[in-house]
Amino acid sequence: EIVLTQSPGTLSLSPGERATLSCRASQSLTSTSLAWYQQKPGQAPRLLIYGASNRATGIPDRFSGSGSGTDFTLTISRLEPEDFAVYYCQQYGSSLRTFGQGTEVEIK
Amino acid sequence: QVQLVESGGGLVNPGGSLRLSCAASGFTFSDYYMTWIRQAPGRGLEWVSYISGSSSSTNYADSVKGRFTISRDNAKNSLYLQMNSLRAEDTAVYYCARWAAGGYFPYWGQGTLVTVSS
């Protein structure tokens, strides 16, 4: 099983600031098989990024993903009030899909 | 548009069984892999199981293997999760989700809560 480790656990930032979230895989992922999701309280997760760097339909361009191999990053260029949420990475490079434990982006 | 609606959650005793359903609409159901993902209260997401469009391929997380069975009825556009020998640690909101190519999840249902407690 591929273990995904997200850091930091919590990120305290102000609106307008840049957020950088990390996801590290225990094994190298094939074909940049990594996705990012956003989840707000009481809601299902929403797909943001797939293939490590491709924005899903309707996702604003302030969200960007990068990385390959074992190290991946989600960047939110300028935080909007609606961006404060929990973010999860997910790998689909192995037959057993796994999620990271999440990073909470909270208002400072 | 794609819609996924889960049902069947509830309170069950440890050791008991429950069957979850997911009604799909807005796409050709048989063309897509489907999956179950769960989230314990206050915790992160955990992938549970997937099934191919033809039901020929299934897979399970180690935590549920041998206790849960995923199935589908393409004529009814429905996905199922039969959960047996339930434990307190199976308490979670269970989401059904549709795969995109490769195995990420662009579409999710709203979830159904399963509580395992005496």
Side-chain angles (χ1 to χ4, degrees), chain B residues 63-82:
Chain B
S63 57
V64 307
K65 198 171 292 184
R67 300 187 299 123
F68 289 13
T69 302
I70 192 171
S71 63
R72 66 192 294 160
D73 184 336
N74 288 341
K76 295 183 177 179
N77 288 344
S78 293
L79 175 72
Y80 306 103
L81 186 68
Q82 178 66 43

Side-chain angles (χ1 to χ4, degrees), chain A residues 22-25 66-73:
Chain A
S22 174
C23 177
R24 177 162 289 178
S66 62
S68 64
T70 59
D71 290 298
F72 299 86
T73 300

Side-chain angles (χ1 to χ4, degrees), chain B residues 12-18 67-68 82-87 90 116:
Chain B
V12 60
N13 291 325
S17 298
L18 208 58
R67 300 187 299 123
F68 289 13
Q82 178 66 43
M83 304 186 294
N84 298 331
S85 304
L86 282 162
R87 308 166 180 166
D90 295 318
V116 183

Side-chain angles (χ1 to χ4, degrees), chain A residues 1 35 37 39 42-47 49-51 88 90-93 95-101, chain B residues 37 39 43-47 50 59-62 65 95 99 101-106 108-111:
Chain A
E1 174 182 306
Y37 301 84
Q39 188 179 33
Q43 296 184 16
R46 177 174 71 144
L47 176 69
I49 301 287
Y50 63 93
Y88 295 94
Q90 177 241 326
Q91 64 80 21
Y92 48 100
S95 59
L96 300 184
R97 275 46 177 170
T98 50
F99 290 88
Q101 83 280 16
Chain B
I37 294 159
Q39 186 170 36
R43 305 293 296 274
L45 300 168
E46 179 186 18
W47 169 78
Y50 70 69
N59 210 344
Y60 300 89
D62 289 343
K65 198 171 292 184
Y95 296 100
W99 272 34
Y104 57 92
F105 314 116
W108 298 63
Q110 85 290 348

Side-chain angles (χ1 to χ4, degrees), chain A residues 5-63:
Chain A
T5 303
Q6 292 187 241
S7 61
T10 303
L11 202 50
S12 297
L13 295 168
S14 300
E17 289 194 295
R18 181 184 187 90
T20 303
L21 288 67
S22 174
C23 177
R24 177 162 289 178
S26 59
Q27 304 171 39
S28 183
L29 300 184
T30 58
S31 305
T32 59
S33 304
L34 189 103
W36 290 92
Y37 301 84
Q38 176 195 68
Q39 188 179 33
K40 298 179 181 179
Q43 296 184 16
R46 177 174 71 144
L47 176 69
L48 299 175
I49 301 287
Y50 63 93
S53 61
N54 302 291
R55 274 188 300 277
T57 303
I59 301 303
D61 60 8
R62 64 180 181 273
F63 291 92

